[in-house]
Amino acid sequence: MSVAPPSTVRLESRFARDLPEMAVPWQAADAPDPRLLVLNEPLAAELGLDPAWLRSAEGVGLLTGTVVPEGAAPVAQAYAGHQFGGFVPRLGDGRALLLGELTDTGGRLRDLHLKGSGRTPFARGGADGLAAVGPMLREYVVSEAMHALGIPTTRSLAVVATGRPIRRETLLPGAVLARVASSHLRVGSFQYARATGDVDLLRRLADVAIARHHPAAADADERYLALFEAVVAAQASLVARWMLVGFVHGVMNTDNTTISGETIDYGPCAFLDAFDPATVYSSIDHGGRYAYGNQPIVMEWNLARFAETLLPLLADEQEKAIELAVGALGGFRPAYNAAWSAGMRHKLGLPEGLEESVATGLMNDLLKLLAADHVDLTSFHRSLSGAARGAAEPTRELFLDLAGIDGWLERWRALAPDADAMDRVNPVYVPRNHLVEEALQAATDGDLAPLERLLEAVSRPFDERPGLERHAAPAPETFGSYTTFCGT
């Protein structure tokens, strides 16, 4: 491991210092022939990092973890988790490293984290701890698209090809993703701490989470209950945003449920094409646990598991602690419903003050029409502003039930929807699944042009631009059914 000049970048080690029981000092595997594939220059500048320096050999070394600043102490983080409903008491960063924390130009503390940086003591089975170019670029594209859509998310700073082939079904080029998060604390972190039986560790972890993400809880009469309530609210808002744009996470395990309310882990994820609540894209979700329509229910379940970890901090008597937790968890559904309903009102351009029963009836009837005809969700919502301006045919063409959609459009247009407001919230471009696959395959073969074009589209999702028509169109019928993989 090399040491960069201390003036280059300063990384703190707060997680390792505050929670040493959950941090294993480790170092990244060597990258024999590193090559920077993509660098997020605006994010680099936001972090106070010089993009030109990051492109240097030393900067690329930081992005692969092979060159770390003086005083930095990379660690693999310990956590547990429910994976597809089954509890695993020891998961952790099997192929990832927290390089440390840095303070960005806005004064916010951010994690700098690597994925695919080599096997750690938490690696399971025969896992090599490495990652391939394709899955790391998928996370880069989708996380940056989510950010551009205004959805809380981890961010991608860079993807570096390591020059080391890795074996999956075939030999693939290896890569490391450098990602940024407000932290990597997750429900699984609390599950790990609770499983140790060390209440002091659990309390310190909760205090770190409060200080870093929900500082208002520190002033509450019951700070740990306030922490739980804040996480419930953050996750209710987050999942509502996923549902509004048709995002399917694909692996909503408790170790992928953040305390901050950011989306994390873009493995078997995708955006809906045809609207169907039963849609599953993950190759390993055989029972449909994490189907698109199940996501709110699963998040509520995950938060119940979070509540269980906090019981020793909520009250001395378990019965009282359970009562408090159940009461707070009861806020999830109203919060989710309110966030989703407000988002749909904006997407449909509905006027302020519209009676709730009218709006709800309109929304429910629309969902039935979309599901019955398997309508492309993104195309439908974007076309609606044209319908509000009098050009309804592009919307009608998406449906088989013309009488149904005509009746719905008549009711909706009578409310004088705001077309300009709709264009500000309904994207033209999302990472279309067929274009993601095309870009990743080309990049794996050494051609980055399709990836760059895709990033150009999704980084400004609401601005329709000439030359990007293909990126606004649904997948051709020849694309067929779509399956994604976790990338391990």
Side-chain angles (χ1 to χ4, degrees):
M1 180 184 295
S2 303
V3 176
S7 59
T8 303
V9 58
R10 297 185 185 277
L11 289 177
E12 299 184 55
S13 301
R14 295 195 187 192
F15 182 88
R17 179 195 67 206
D18 295 339
L19 302 162
E21 301 95 326
M22 300 178 65
V24 176
W26 206 252
Q27 64 186 59
D30 183 45
D33 186 19
R35 180 169 63 93
L36 184 63
L37 298 180
V38 58
L39 175 66
N40 191 334
E41 294 199 1
L43 177 58
E46 185 180 306
L47 296 171
L49 301 174
D50 179 8
W53 177 79
L54 286 173
R55 292 183 181 278
S56 72
E58 194 172 62
V60 169
L62 175 68
L63 296 173
T64 57
T66 55
V67 177
V68 298
E70 183 178 347
V75 296
Q77 295 176 295
Y79 50 85
H82 277 87
Q83 299 196 314
F84 291 89
F87 184 61
V88 183
R90 187 178 186 270
L91 291 170
D93 288 333
R95 59 168 180 160
L97 284 180
L98 174 63
L99 291 182
E101 303 90 3
L102 49 78
T103 302
D104 68 15
T105 55
R108 297 168 298 180
L109 197 65
R110 314 279 284 276
D111 279 4
L112 181 57
H113 192 262
L114 302 181
K115 192 171 181 178
S117 53
R119 182 179 173 86
T120 79
F122 295 110
R124 294 172 292 284
D128 58 17
L130 304 174
V133 163
M136 297 304 95
L137 288 175
R138 178 192 299 279
E139 178 149 345
Y140 189 104
V141 169
V142 181
S143 64
E144 288 309 297
M146 294 283 274
H147 173 71
L149 289 166
I151 298 173
T153 179
T154 57
R155 301 285 306 278
S156 293
L157 177 59
V159 176
V160 179
T162 61
R164 175 188 290 108
I166 67 169
R167 181 168 293 281
R168 296 298 181 255
E169 289 79 9
T170 60
L171 281 179
L172 296 171
V176 174
L177 169 77
R179 73 179 177 193
V180 175
S182 60
S183 89
H184 286 78
L185 299 180
R186 50 194 96 201
V187 170
S189 305
F190 282 80
Q191 291 180 297
Y192 181 90
R194 177 68 194 277
T196 67
D198 186 343
V199 176
D200 175 66
L201 171 60
L202 181 64
R203 182 174 287 104
R204 280 186 284 122
L205 175 60
D207 288 341
V208 168
I210 289 170
R212 192 147 181 189
H213 300 302
H214 305 291
D219 298 324
D221 291 337
E222 298 179 76
R223 60 190 285 132
Y224 302 117
L225 180 63
L227 168 64
F228 181 58
E229 291 171 338
V231 176
V232 166
Q235 288 293 345
S237 172
L238 177 66
V239 177
R241 293 178 187 223
W242 290 357
M243 299 297 286
L244 290 165
V245 297
F247 175 72
V248 185
H249 186 282
V251 62
M252 286 180 65
N253 299 326
T254 57
D255 53 292
N256 289 329
T257 301
T258 60
I259 302 305
S260 65
E262 290 179 327
T263 313
I264 191 172
D265 195 343
Y266 293 93
C269 66
F271 281 78
L272 286 182
D273 286 319
F275 181 79
D276 180 356
T279 298
V280 173
Y281 289 123
S282 170
S283 64
I284 56 177
D285 191 1
H286 304 296
R289 179 182 177 88
Y290 299 146
Y292 167 73
N294 287 347
Q295 292 183 132
I297 299 168
V298 170
M299 184 53 71
E300 185 179 42
W301 190 91
N302 288 353
L303 290 168
R305 307 290 76 75
F306 181 40
E308 290 169 351
T309 72
L310 294 176
L311 293 179
L313 305 182
L314 297 182
D316 292 333
E317 296 180 6
Q318 179 154 309
E319 194 170 305
K320 176 62 174 177
I322 291 173
E323 179 185 341
L324 291 170
V326 169
L329 184 61
F332 176 83
R333 293 191 188 190
Y336 169 80
N337 290 334
W340 184 87
S341 179
M344 278 298 289
R345 281 173 174 261
H346 290 310
K347 290 177 79 66
L348 299 180
L350 300 180
E352 294 289 336
L354 180 66
E355 187 177 336
E356 184 65 30
S357 62
V358 175
T360 300
L362 201 66
M363 294 172 195
N364 289 341
D365 290 345
L366 173 60
L367 293 180
K368 292 174 185 175
L369 288 167
L370 293 172
D373 285 355
H374 290 81
V375 174
D376 182 86
L377 189 67
T378 303
S379 298
F380 168 76
H381 279 296
R382 186 65 186 197
S383 74
L384 266 187
S385 61
R389 297 182 178 106
E393 201 56 33
T395 300
R396 297 181 75 246
E397 289 174 352
L398 297 171
F399 291 82
L400 297 174
D401 181 3
L402 293 180
I405 190 59
D406 284 344
W408 187 89
L409 286 171
E410 184 177 358
R411 291 161 56 199
W412 170 71
R413 282 188 294 208
L415 301 172
D418 186 336
D420 291 340
M422 293 165 65
D423 281 342
R424 291 193 290 271
V425 297
N426 290 319
V428 186
Y429 314 107
V430 296
R432 293 283 186 178
N433 301 324
H434 64 297
L435 297 179
V436 170
E437 291 305 313
E438 177 185 285
L440 299 188
Q441 184 58 59
T444 298
D445 294 339
D447 178 10
L448 292 173
L451 177 80
E452 291 165 354
R453 194 71 164 160
L454 179 58
L455 284 169
E456 178 188 352
V458 302
S459 63
R460 290 169 50 200
F462 306 106
D463 302 334
E464 191 166 1
R465 284 156 282 159
L468 292 174
E469 292 80 7
R470 185 166 175 258
H471 291 76
E477 289 186 12
T478 54
F479 184 61
S481 61
Y482 184 52
T483 301
T484 60
F485 301 87
C486 67
T488 54

